[in-house]
């Protein structure tokens, strides 16, 4: 018997059942659904729709059901269509006729929206914690190799020498923006739809502000139709997770390059690499490839939900049930990838001498010579042209750039620029890569991370 059997004379066809049941995936919402129902029961009591005794009894029943789920003892009946109905069915078994009052002044439409917002709110902070851990690791890897340098690339061509810390901080900064976005998405997630009913509210004297407060929502819905139709918070979350995935993918791609024999800038610990079933010498950075590969499904989940939402008339439509699997999948994916990537970075040995040798490529000094000429009063375009000639000559003849430059008239005044590390040491513009600015940068990044950590800790205390 379904919850709506009053109006129907036949049960649901099995084919429809297979299409519409969602317990198989939405059971993970049980704790948040029970939290929502607990607040709802208190709200009904405040409204005089349940007596004190009834309230106490129903809350005890909800606690029991939560314990059954926590301990893996909850038994799903074949007729339990989704997590909400499974819990209500069980509450009715345990509380007798009183169980039938729990759904007063509520629809599954405001219920599922409430449950999913509570779930997403927690998930956003969980992802934020995992990103914070990854940021800490990136900074720690840099701190362990404070003097290490490597060529910085544009177009994947060697461009200028940079410090390893500078390079890793760039990745860390992209993750700090992701953290900001997670916290920002949380503010719009943290609004209560409970009390909107099926779509238009109710004639019963409920107080949505009261249940919102019980659930630590920042505010209540303004409009009941919007409350049950809105899944922007899921779309936003999927976007933030996709962008995180894109960042993790770029980091993964870089690790693939760095650990190749061609670059050989780094190697990963054995625990974070895999062998080949055929080739005995192989040590593969699968962790980095999967970090790159998983970004595809994250973007796919976002795209899928946007397409699901785009044609929906107001208000609730069953299509909205399609919000959950992509959300769960993207959350799991980002948590798994960020943890694995964090471990990979922590296990990484940076081959400082190899990277340094590459960074000492004399051609990378070309811009420093041009800037010295600018300092002597030559307009930049002329300086560029002059150094370009020297570079052309060196490349054509196969000679060092230093030899070509030093033998040109008065060229010896550039000799100091070819000393290893001179490029970095001479670079002092704010935010640039060099020892002179490294501390300011580390401090600024540190402040940003501390501020995010503090905001996150406050939320975790609240929640
Ligand atoms: N499992 C459903 C969902 O995820 C619950 C809401 C169903 N509401 C309804 N009116 N059929 O959206």
């Amino acid at each position: 018997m379904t919850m709506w059997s009053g109006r129907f004379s036949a049960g649901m066809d099995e084919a429809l059942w297979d299409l519409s049941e969602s317990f198989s995936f939405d059971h993970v919402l049980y704790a948040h659904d029970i939290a929502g129902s607990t607040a709802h029961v208190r709200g009904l009591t405040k409204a005089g729709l349940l007596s004190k005794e009834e309230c106490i009894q129903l809350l005890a029943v909800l606690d029991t059901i939560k314990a059954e789920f926590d301990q893996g003892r909850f038994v799903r009946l074949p007729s339990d269509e989704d997590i909400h109905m499974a819990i209500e069915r069980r509450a009715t078994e345990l509380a007798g006729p009183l169980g039938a009052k729990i759904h007063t002044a509520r629809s599954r439409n405001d219920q599922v929206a409430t449950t999913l917002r509570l779930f997403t709110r927690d998930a956003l902070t969980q992802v934020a914690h995992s990103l914070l851990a990854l940021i800490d690791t990136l900074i720690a890897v840099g701190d362990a190799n404070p003097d290490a340098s490597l060529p910085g690339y544009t177009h994947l061509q060697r461009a200028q020498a940079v410090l390893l810390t500078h390079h890793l901080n760039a990745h860390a900064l992209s993750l700090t923006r992701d953290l900001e976005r997670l916290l920002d998405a949380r503010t719009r997630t943290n609004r209560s739809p409970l009390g909107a009913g099926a779509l238009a509210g109710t004639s019963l004297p409920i107080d949505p502000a009261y249940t919102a407060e019980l659930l630590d929502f920042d505010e209540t819905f303004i409009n009941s139709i919007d409350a049950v139709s809105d899944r922007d918070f899921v779309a936003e979350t999927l976007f933030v997770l996709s962008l995180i995935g894109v960042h993790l993918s770029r980091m993964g791609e870089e690790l693939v390059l760095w650990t190749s024999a061609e670059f050989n800038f780094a190697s990963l610990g054995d625990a974070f690499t895999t062998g080949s079933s055929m080739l005995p010498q192989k040590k593969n950075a699968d962790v980095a490839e999967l970090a790159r590969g998983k970004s595809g499904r994250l973007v796919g989940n976002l795209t899928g939900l946007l397409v699901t939402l785009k044609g929906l008339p107001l208000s609730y439509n069953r299509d909205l049930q399609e919000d959950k699997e992509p959300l769960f999948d993207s959350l799991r994916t980002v948590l798994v990838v960020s943890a694995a990537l964090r471990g990979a970075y922590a296990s990484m040995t940076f081959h400082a001498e190899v990277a340094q040798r590459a960074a000492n490529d004399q051609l990378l000094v070309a811009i420093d010579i041009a800037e010295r000429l600018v300092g002597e009063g030559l307009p930049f375009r002329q300086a560029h042209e002059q150094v370009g000639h020297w570079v052309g000559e060196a490349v054509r003849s196969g000679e060092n750039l230093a030899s070509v430059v030093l033998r040109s008239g008065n060229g010896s005044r550039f000799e100091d620029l070819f000393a290893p590390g001179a490029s970095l040491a001479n670079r002092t513009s704010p935010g640039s890569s060099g020892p002179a600015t490294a501390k300011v940068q580390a401090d600024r990044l540190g402040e940003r991370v501390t501020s995010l950590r503090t905001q996150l800790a406050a939320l975790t205390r609240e929640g």
Side-chain angles (χ1 to χ4, degrees), residues 4 20 22 26 81-84 107-109 112 231 316-318 320-324:
W4 51 80
S20 70
S22 57
D26 68 15
E81 187 189 18
D82 61 18
I83 184 63
H84 322 291
S107 155
R108 266 193 300 164
N109 300 348
V112 68
R231 292 296 183 275
Y316 178 85
N317 299 272
R318 192 59 181 273
L320 291 177
Q321 184 167 292
E322 289 298 303
D323 56 2
K324 290 174 200 66

PDB file of all heavy atoms in Angstrom, residues 4 20 22 26 81-84 107-109 112 231 316-318 320-324, ligand 1:
ATOM      1  N   TRP A   4      -0.358   7.145  -0.688  1.00  0.00           N
ATOM      2  CA  TRP A   4      -1.470   7.868  -1.313  1.00  0.00           C
ATOM      3  C   TRP A   4      -2.563   6.913  -1.764  1.00  0.00           C
ATOM      4  O   TRP A   4      -3.349   7.215  -2.646  1.00  0.00           O
ATOM      5  CB  TRP A   4      -0.961   8.700  -2.504  1.00  0.00           C
ATOM      6  CG  TRP A   4      -0.140   7.875  -3.459  1.00  0.00           C
ATOM      7  CD1 TRP A   4      -0.611   7.038  -4.422  1.00  0.00           C
ATOM      8  CD2 TRP A   4       1.281   7.790  -3.527  1.00  0.00           C
ATOM      9  NE1 TRP A   4       0.420   6.438  -5.074  1.00  0.00           N
ATOM     10  CE2 TRP A   4       1.610   6.884  -4.549  1.00  0.00           C
ATOM     11  CE3 TRP A   4       2.323   8.401  -2.805  1.00  0.00           C
ATOM     12  CZ2 TRP A   4       2.911   6.570  -4.872  1.00  0.00           C
ATOM     13  CZ3 TRP A   4       3.624   8.081  -3.151  1.00  0.00           C
ATOM     14  CH2 TRP A   4       3.904   7.180  -4.160  1.00  0.00           C
ATOM     15  N   SER A  20      10.975   4.967 -10.469  1.00  0.00           N
ATOM     16  CA  SER A  20      10.773   6.078  -9.530  1.00  0.00           C
ATOM     17  C   SER A  20      11.365   5.862  -8.151  1.00  0.00           C
ATOM     18  O   SER A  20      11.571   6.824  -7.427  1.00  0.00           O
ATOM     19  CB  SER A  20       9.276   6.391  -9.399  1.00  0.00           C
ATOM     20  OG  SER A  20       8.634   5.337  -8.710  1.00  0.00           O
ATOM     21  N   SER A  22      13.769   5.726  -5.173  1.00  0.00           N
ATOM     22  CA  SER A  22      15.052   6.408  -4.999  1.00  0.00           C
ATOM     23  C   SER A  22      15.742   5.997  -3.699  1.00  0.00           C
ATOM     24  O   SER A  22      16.831   6.474  -3.393  1.00  0.00           O
ATOM     25  CB  SER A  22      14.869   7.929  -5.041  1.00  0.00           C
ATOM     26  OG  SER A  22      13.932   8.346  -4.057  1.00  0.00           O
ATOM     27  N   ASP A  26      18.990   7.442  -2.111  1.00  0.00           N
ATOM     28  CA  ASP A  26      18.781   8.576  -1.193  1.00  0.00           C
ATOM     29  C   ASP A  26      18.764   8.163   0.278  1.00  0.00           C
ATOM     30  O   ASP A  26      18.598   9.010   1.157  1.00  0.00           O
ATOM     31  CB  ASP A  26      17.557   9.421  -1.583  1.00  0.00           C
ATOM     32  CG  ASP A  26      16.219   8.728  -1.400  1.00  0.00           C
ATOM     33  OD1 ASP A  26      16.164   7.691  -0.719  1.00  0.00           O
ATOM     34  OD2 ASP A  26      15.219   9.251  -1.941  1.00  0.00           O
ATOM     35  N   GLU A  81       9.543   3.620  -0.974  1.00  0.00           N
ATOM     36  CA  GLU A  81       9.926   4.221  -2.250  1.00  0.00           C
ATOM     37  C   GLU A  81      11.167   5.094  -2.124  1.00  0.00           C
ATOM     38  O   GLU A  81      12.051   5.062  -2.962  1.00  0.00           O
ATOM     39  CB  GLU A  81       8.760   5.076  -2.767  1.00  0.00           C
ATOM     40  CG  GLU A  81       9.012   5.606  -4.159  1.00  0.00           C
ATOM     41  CD  GLU A  81       7.978   6.631  -4.588  1.00  0.00           C
ATOM     42  OE1 GLU A  81       7.273   7.200  -3.725  1.00  0.00           O
ATOM     43  OE2 GLU A  81       7.887   6.876  -5.802  1.00  0.00           O
ATOM     44  N   ASP A  82      11.186   5.902  -1.095  1.00  0.00           N
ATOM     45  CA  ASP A  82      12.363   6.742  -0.899  1.00  0.00           C
ATOM     46  C   ASP A  82      12.645   6.842   0.592  1.00  0.00           C
ATOM     47  O   ASP A  82      11.924   6.267   1.415  1.00  0.00           O
ATOM     48  CB  ASP A  82      12.200   8.123  -1.564  1.00  0.00           C
ATOM     49  CG  ASP A  82      11.030   8.930  -1.014  1.00  0.00           C
ATOM     50  OD1 ASP A  82      10.530   8.607   0.094  1.00  0.00           O
ATOM     51  OD2 ASP A  82      10.602   9.893  -1.686  1.00  0.00           O
ATOM     52  N   ILE A  83      13.697   7.553   0.939  1.00  0.00           N
ATOM     53  CA  ILE A  83      14.109   7.625   2.340  1.00  0.00           C
ATOM     54  C   ILE A  83      13.008   8.248   3.207  1.00  0.00           C
ATOM     55  O   ILE A  83      12.780   7.816   4.344  1.00  0.00           O
ATOM     56  CB  ILE A  83      15.451   8.401   2.481  1.00  0.00           C
ATOM     57  CG1 ILE A  83      15.925   8.401   3.931  1.00  0.00           C
ATOM     58  CG2 ILE A  83      15.350   9.829   1.967  1.00  0.00           C
ATOM     59  CD1 ILE A  83      16.246   7.049   4.501  1.00  0.00           C
ATOM     60  N   HIS A  84      12.296   9.222   2.657  1.00  0.00           N
ATOM     61  CA  HIS A  84      11.279   9.924   3.447  1.00  0.00           C
ATOM     62  C   HIS A  84      10.139   8.981   3.817  1.00  0.00           C
ATOM     63  O   HIS A  84       9.654   8.963   4.937  1.00  0.00           O
ATOM     64  CB  HIS A  84      10.738  11.132   2.671  1.00  0.00           C
ATOM     65  CG  HIS A  84      11.807  11.836   1.893  1.00  0.00           C
ATOM     66  ND1 HIS A  84      12.811  12.532   2.514  1.00  0.00           N
ATOM     67  CD2 HIS A  84      12.062  11.905   0.557  1.00  0.00           C
ATOM     68  CE1 HIS A  84      13.628  13.008   1.592  1.00  0.00           C
ATOM     69  NE2 HIS A  84      13.195  12.643   0.398  1.00  0.00           N
ATOM     70  N   SER A 107       4.787  18.394   3.051  1.00  0.00           N
ATOM     71  CA  SER A 107       4.749  17.593   1.831  1.00  0.00           C
ATOM     72  C   SER A 107       6.152  17.020   1.653  1.00  0.00           C
ATOM     73  O   SER A 107       7.113  17.545   2.206  1.00  0.00           O
ATOM     74  CB  SER A 107       4.403  18.499   0.649  1.00  0.00           C
ATOM     75  OG  SER A 107       4.894  17.954  -0.556  1.00  0.00           O
ATOM     76  N   ARG A 108       6.256  15.963   0.860  1.00  0.00           N
ATOM     77  CA  ARG A 108       7.608  15.511   0.561  1.00  0.00           C
ATOM     78  C   ARG A 108       8.378  16.575  -0.210  1.00  0.00           C
ATOM     79  O   ARG A 108       9.591  16.548  -0.266  1.00  0.00           O
ATOM     80  CB  ARG A 108       7.561  14.204  -0.257  1.00  0.00           C
ATOM     81  CG  ARG A 108       7.656  12.978   0.630  1.00  0.00           C
ATOM     82  CD  ARG A 108       7.930  11.764  -0.202  1.00  0.00           C
ATOM     83  NE  ARG A 108       6.851  11.545  -1.173  1.00  0.00           N
ATOM     84  CZ  ARG A 108       6.959  10.742  -2.221  1.00  0.00           C
ATOM     85  NH1 ARG A 108       8.081  10.090  -2.455  1.00  0.00           N
ATOM     86  NH2 ARG A 108       5.939  10.576  -3.045  1.00  0.00           N
ATOM     87  N   ASN A 109       7.610  17.518  -0.792  1.00  0.00           N
ATOM     88  CA  ASN A 109       8.300  18.537  -1.588  1.00  0.00           C
ATOM     89  C   ASN A 109       9.111  19.502  -0.726  1.00  0.00           C
ATOM     90  O   ASN A 109      10.258  19.814  -1.044  1.00  0.00           O
ATOM     91  CB  ASN A 109       7.287  19.298  -2.452  1.00  0.00           C
ATOM     92  CG  ASN A 109       6.568  18.361  -3.401  1.00  0.00           C
ATOM     93  OD1 ASN A 109       6.967  17.207  -3.564  1.00  0.00           O
ATOM     94  ND2 ASN A 109       5.495  18.848  -4.017  1.00  0.00           N
ATOM     95  N   VAL A 112      11.868  17.097   1.145  1.00  0.00           N
ATOM     96  CA  VAL A 112      13.085  16.698   0.440  1.00  0.00           C
ATOM     97  C   VAL A 112      14.016  17.899   0.235  1.00  0.00           C
ATOM     98  O   VAL A 112      15.240  17.784   0.321  1.00  0.00           O
ATOM     99  CB  VAL A 112      12.772  15.979  -0.895  1.00  0.00           C
ATOM    100  CG1 VAL A 112      12.164  16.907  -1.926  1.00  0.00           C
ATOM    101  CG2 VAL A 112      14.020  15.327  -1.464  1.00  0.00           C
ATOM    102  N   ARG A 231      16.547  24.394  -6.948  1.00  0.00           N
ATOM    103  CA  ARG A 231      17.701  23.523  -6.735  1.00  0.00           C
ATOM    104  C   ARG A 231      18.983  24.251  -7.131  1.00  0.00           C
ATOM    105  O   ARG A 231      20.002  23.629  -7.423  1.00  0.00           O
ATOM    106  CB  ARG A 231      17.572  22.229  -7.556  1.00  0.00           C
ATOM    107  CG  ARG A 231      16.475  21.292  -7.105  1.00  0.00           C
ATOM    108  CD  ARG A 231      16.705  20.729  -5.692  1.00  0.00           C
ATOM    109  NE  ARG A 231      15.660  19.791  -5.327  1.00  0.00           N
ATOM    110  CZ  ARG A 231      14.472  20.119  -4.799  1.00  0.00           C
ATOM    111  NH1 ARG A 231      14.188  21.400  -4.561  1.00  0.00           N
ATOM    112  NH2 ARG A 231      13.585  19.195  -4.503  1.00  0.00           N
ATOM    113  N   TYR A 316       7.329  22.096  -7.929  1.00  0.00           N
ATOM    114  CA  TYR A 316       8.027  20.805  -7.849  1.00  0.00           C
ATOM    115  C   TYR A 316       7.665  19.932  -9.050  1.00  0.00           C
ATOM    116  O   TYR A 316       6.505  19.873  -9.477  1.00  0.00           O
ATOM    117  CB  TYR A 316       7.667  20.062  -6.544  1.00  0.00           C
ATOM    118  CG  TYR A 316       8.345  18.698  -6.472  1.00  0.00           C
ATOM    119  CD1 TYR A 316       9.645  18.584  -5.988  1.00  0.00           C
ATOM    120  CD2 TYR A 316       7.713  17.551  -6.948  1.00  0.00           C
ATOM    121  CE1 TYR A 316      10.295  17.354  -5.963  1.00  0.00           C
ATOM    122  CE2 TYR A 316       8.353  16.316  -6.923  1.00  0.00           C
ATOM    123  CZ  TYR A 316       9.646  16.228  -6.436  1.00  0.00           C
ATOM    124  OH  TYR A 316      10.284  15.014  -6.420  1.00  0.00           O
ATOM    125  N   ASN A 317       8.643  19.273  -9.594  1.00  0.00           N
ATOM    126  CA  ASN A 317       8.426  18.237 -10.609  1.00  0.00           C
ATOM    127  C   ASN A 317       9.315  17.062 -10.238  1.00  0.00           C
ATOM    128  O   ASN A 317      10.394  17.244  -9.671  1.00  0.00           O
ATOM    129  CB  ASN A 317       8.835  18.729 -12.006  1.00  0.00           C
ATOM    130  CG  ASN A 317       8.016  19.925 -12.444  1.00  0.00           C
ATOM    131  OD1 ASN A 317       6.951  19.781 -13.024  1.00  0.00           O
ATOM    132  ND2 ASN A 317       8.502  21.122 -12.147  1.00  0.00           N
ATOM    133  N   ARG A 318       8.867  15.886 -10.594  1.00  0.00           N
ATOM    134  CA  ARG A 318       9.611  14.708 -10.170  1.00  0.00           C
ATOM    135  C   ARG A 318      11.012  14.659 -10.765  1.00  0.00           C
ATOM    136  O   ARG A 318      11.906  13.994 -10.235  1.00  0.00           O
ATOM    137  CB  ARG A 318       8.821  13.441 -10.530  1.00  0.00           C
ATOM    138  CG  ARG A 318       9.371  12.181  -9.890  1.00  0.00           C
ATOM    139  CD  ARG A 318       9.381  12.273  -8.360  1.00  0.00           C
ATOM    140  NE  ARG A 318       9.924  11.080  -7.763  1.00  0.00           N
ATOM    141  CZ  ARG A 318       9.218   9.980  -7.465  1.00  0.00           C
ATOM    142  NH1 ARG A 318       7.905   9.959  -7.688  1.00  0.00           N
ATOM    143  NH2 ARG A 318       9.798   8.940  -6.937  1.00  0.00           N
ATOM    144  N   LEU A 320      13.101  16.626 -10.411  1.00  0.00           N
ATOM    145  CA  LEU A 320      14.044  17.141  -9.404  1.00  0.00           C
ATOM    146  C   LEU A 320      14.725  16.027  -8.615  1.00  0.00           C
ATOM    147  O   LEU A 320      15.773  16.235  -8.017  1.00  0.00           O
ATOM    148  CB  LEU A 320      13.327  18.106  -8.451  1.00  0.00           C
ATOM    149  CG  LEU A 320      12.900  19.440  -9.086  1.00  0.00           C
ATOM    150  CD1 LEU A 320      12.129  20.285  -8.091  1.00  0.00           C
ATOM    151  CD2 LEU A 320      14.116  20.200  -9.603  1.00  0.00           C
ATOM    152  N   GLN A 321      14.102  14.846  -8.630  1.00  0.00           N
ATOM    153  CA  GLN A 321      14.743  13.718  -7.959  1.00  0.00           C
ATOM    154  C   GLN A 321      16.115  13.413  -8.582  1.00  0.00           C
ATOM    155  O   GLN A 321      16.959  12.782  -7.951  1.00  0.00           O
ATOM    156  CB  GLN A 321      13.824  12.492  -8.046  1.00  0.00           C
ATOM    157  CG  GLN A 321      14.341  11.274  -7.312  1.00  0.00           C
ATOM    158  CD  GLN A 321      13.261  10.211  -7.171  1.00  0.00           C
ATOM    159  OE1 GLN A 321      12.292  10.402  -6.462  1.00  0.00           O
ATOM    160  NE2 GLN A 321      13.419   9.114  -7.875  1.00  0.00           N
ATOM    161  N   GLU A 322      16.295  13.861  -9.810  1.00  0.00           N
ATOM    162  CA  GLU A 322      17.569  13.645 -10.516  1.00  0.00           C
ATOM    163  C   GLU A 322      18.692  14.543  -9.985  1.00  0.00           C
ATOM    164  O   GLU A 322      19.783  14.569 -10.535  1.00  0.00           O
ATOM    165  CB  GLU A 322      17.385  13.882 -12.020  1.00  0.00           C
ATOM    166  CG  GLU A 322      16.577  12.801 -12.714  1.00  0.00           C
ATOM    167  CD  GLU A 322      17.253  11.434 -12.626  1.00  0.00           C
ATOM    168  OE1 GLU A 322      18.406  11.309 -13.063  1.00  0.00           O
ATOM    169  OE2 GLU A 322      16.620  10.502 -12.095  1.00  0.00           O
ATOM    170  N   ASP A 323      18.395  15.316  -8.946  1.00  0.00           N
ATOM    171  CA  ASP A 323      19.449  16.170  -8.388  1.00  0.00           C
ATOM    172  C   ASP A 323      20.433  15.378  -7.517  1.00  0.00           C
ATOM    173  O   ASP A 323      21.558  15.799  -7.309  1.00  0.00           O
ATOM    174  CB  ASP A 323      18.837  17.322  -7.549  1.00  0.00           C
ATOM    175  CG  ASP A 323      17.921  16.826  -6.425  1.00  0.00           C
ATOM    176  OD1 ASP A 323      17.772  15.599  -6.248  1.00  0.00           O
ATOM    177  OD2 ASP A 323      17.341  17.681  -5.727  1.00  0.00           O
ATOM    178  N   LYS A 324      19.983  14.220  -7.027  1.00  0.00           N
ATOM    179  CA  LYS A 324      20.751  13.583  -5.949  1.00  0.00           C
ATOM    180  C   LYS A 324      21.962  12.796  -6.405  1.00  0.00           C
ATOM    181  O   LYS A 324      23.057  12.962  -5.860  1.00  0.00           O
ATOM    182  CB  LYS A 324      19.829  12.678  -5.132  1.00  0.00           C
ATOM    183  CG  LYS A 324      18.863  13.487  -4.326  1.00  0.00           C
ATOM    184  CD  LYS A 324      17.853  12.661  -3.609  1.00  0.00           C
ATOM    185  CE  LYS A 324      16.691  13.552  -3.254  1.00  0.00           C
ATOM    186  NZ  LYS A 324      15.951  14.052  -4.466  1.00  0.00           N
TER     187      LYS A 324
HETATM  188  N1  LIG B   1      12.146  11.218  -3.739  1.00  0.00           N
HETATM  189  C1  LIG B   1      11.519  12.448  -4.124  1.00  0.00           C
HETATM  190  C2  LIG B   1      12.575  13.463  -4.601  1.00  0.00           C
HETATM  191  O1  LIG B   1      13.718  13.189  -4.465  1.00  0.00           O
HETATM  192  C3  LIG B   1      10.763  12.975  -2.997  1.00  0.00           C
HETATM  193  C4  LIG B   1       9.692  13.930  -3.378  1.00  0.00           C
HETATM  194  C5  LIG B   1       8.578  13.292  -4.076  1.00  0.00           C
HETATM  195  N2  LIG B   1       7.465  14.185  -4.093  1.00  0.00           N
HETATM  196  C6  LIG B   1       6.396  13.936  -4.839  1.00  0.00           C
HETATM  197  N3  LIG B   1       5.462  14.803  -4.819  1.00  0.00           N
HETATM  198  N4  LIG B   1       6.334  12.895  -5.615  1.00  0.00           N
HETATM  199  O2  LIG B   1      12.275  14.515  -5.125  1.00  0.00           O
END
